[in-house]
Amino acid sequence: MYNICFTSLPILAYSLLEQHISIETLMENPKLYMRISENSMLQWLPFLYWTVLGAFEGLVFFFGVYFLFQNPSLEGNGQVFGNWSFGTIVFTTLVFTVTLKLALDTRYWTWMNHLVIWGSLAFYVIFSIFWGGIIWPFLRQQRMYFVFSHMLTSVSVWLAIILLIFISLYPEILLIIVRNLKNAGQKHLQFQLPMLISYKNVENGCLSRIRFEEYKPNPLLSSFDVYQ
């Protein structure tokens, strides 16, 4: 369900529609394709970065909800949540975090991106309420019955989900801020150059010579920043 129904369409639309560099820029600068030649994007540093990021988010999801459940009562009437509520909170935080993470990485927005990203989140909520709101005759045990709807009645759960999503996305948000601040002085260029070429020889704000032999891509930056 996670891969097929809740998170497949956003990443599919991203892979088909995302444009880190405009078509006009690519047509005018075909040498930009050198960046992806000979599998230059397949490097250990970005692989380790995403692995560490995934492990960090997994720890945030689990232990954040674990500490939330240290409170013996999450409801005003004194009732407590069980293991299925624990897993539902973790799973809900996971679905929202990975989808919003993809939204942060998206630079070329179309109506299709909006539809699949926000539609996937809405579908998850609607499906969870529907799945847990009916006693299904083909299931021997109804362990998810009314779990999701009951979970959303707790203010503590709402606050915990929002807080855990923010903590999980904080490294990505911080990276975007640092990247934008670093590139703030380069807006006079049509596109970001450091990842592809050397621009040591600058005269009067213009490139006097381009040297592609010094090309050393930054593996942590997944794409070019296009400045209109």
Side-chain angles (χ1 to χ4, degrees):
M1 294 296 296
Y2 171 79
N3 289 325
I4 298 177
C5 298
F6 301 143
T7 59
S8 60
L9 290 181
I11 190 63
L12 178 61
Y14 179 87
S15 63
L16 296 176
L17 303 175
E18 179 66 5
Q19 297 181 16
H20 294 156
I21 306 177
S22 65
I23 298 178
E24 293 76 12
T25 302
L26 289 174
M27 294 296 292
E28 295 174 359
N29 303 274
K31 291 184 179 181
L32 292 176
Y33 286 102
M34 292 177 58
R35 184 174 186 270
I36 60 175
S37 63
E38 299 181 358
N39 295 326
S40 60
M41 297 295 295
L42 300 179
Q43 301 179 15
W44 278 104
L45 190 56
F47 173 78
L48 294 176
Y49 168 77
W50 286 104
T51 302
V52 172
L53 184 63
F56 166 76
E57 293 178 350
L59 292 174
V60 170
F61 297 157
F62 179 83
F63 286 102
V65 180
Y66 174 80
F67 288 123
L68 173 67
F69 272 62
Q70 297 305 302
N71 181 8
S73 176
L74 296 177
E75 300 184 85
N77 56 9
Q79 295 182 355
V80 296
F81 287 160
N83 293 335
W84 287 93
S85 298
F86 184 99
T88 302
I89 297 174
V90 173
F91 191 77
T92 301
T93 308
L94 169 64
V95 172
F96 273 79
T97 299
V98 297
T99 306
L100 294 177
K101 171 69 170 64
L102 186 62
L104 289 176
D105 288 339
T106 301
R107 306 186 185 186
Y108 185 76
W109 284 92
T110 65
W111 67 268
M112 182 65 70
N113 295 96
H114 286 285
L115 177 63
V116 297
I117 288 178
W118 313 123
S120 296
L121 295 179
F123 174 75
Y124 169 74
V125 175
I126 296 174
F127 176 86
S128 299
I129 295 176
F130 175 75
W131 178 258
I134 298 177
I135 297 179
W136 302 96
F138 55 86
L139 296 179
R140 298 181 56 183
Q141 296 177 334
Q142 307 293 330
R143 294 178 177 177
M144 288 297 297
Y145 178 68
F146 214 64
V147 170
F148 190 82
S149 300
H150 184 64
M151 178 192 74
L152 297 181
T153 61
S154 174
V155 178
S156 300
V157 171
W158 278 92
L159 295 177
I161 292 176
I162 296 175
L163 179 62
L164 293 178
I165 292 175
F166 175 77
I167 295 176
S168 301
L169 295 178
Y170 181 76
E172 178 70 15
I173 297 174
L174 183 62
L175 181 62
I176 293 176
I177 294 176
V178 172
R179 183 189 307 167
N180 291 337
L181 291 177
K182 181 180 178 180
N183 298 329
Q186 302 175 1
K187 291 185 178 180
H188 61 282
L189 298 177
Q190 186 177 5
F191 50 88
Q192 184 182 346
L193 296 174
M195 289 184 294
L196 180 64
I197 61 179
S198 171
Y199 58 104
K200 296 180 180 179
N201 302 321
V202 180
E203 298 177 357
N204 300 324
C206 300
L207 295 177
S208 60
R209 187 175 64 172
I210 297 178
R211 299 177 58 189
F212 285 89
E213 64 270 15
E214 297 185 8
Y215 161 56
K216 296 181 180 179
N218 188 337
L220 290 181
L221 299 180
S222 59
S223 58
F224 292 94
D225 290 328
V226 181
Y227 298 99
Q228 302 297 335

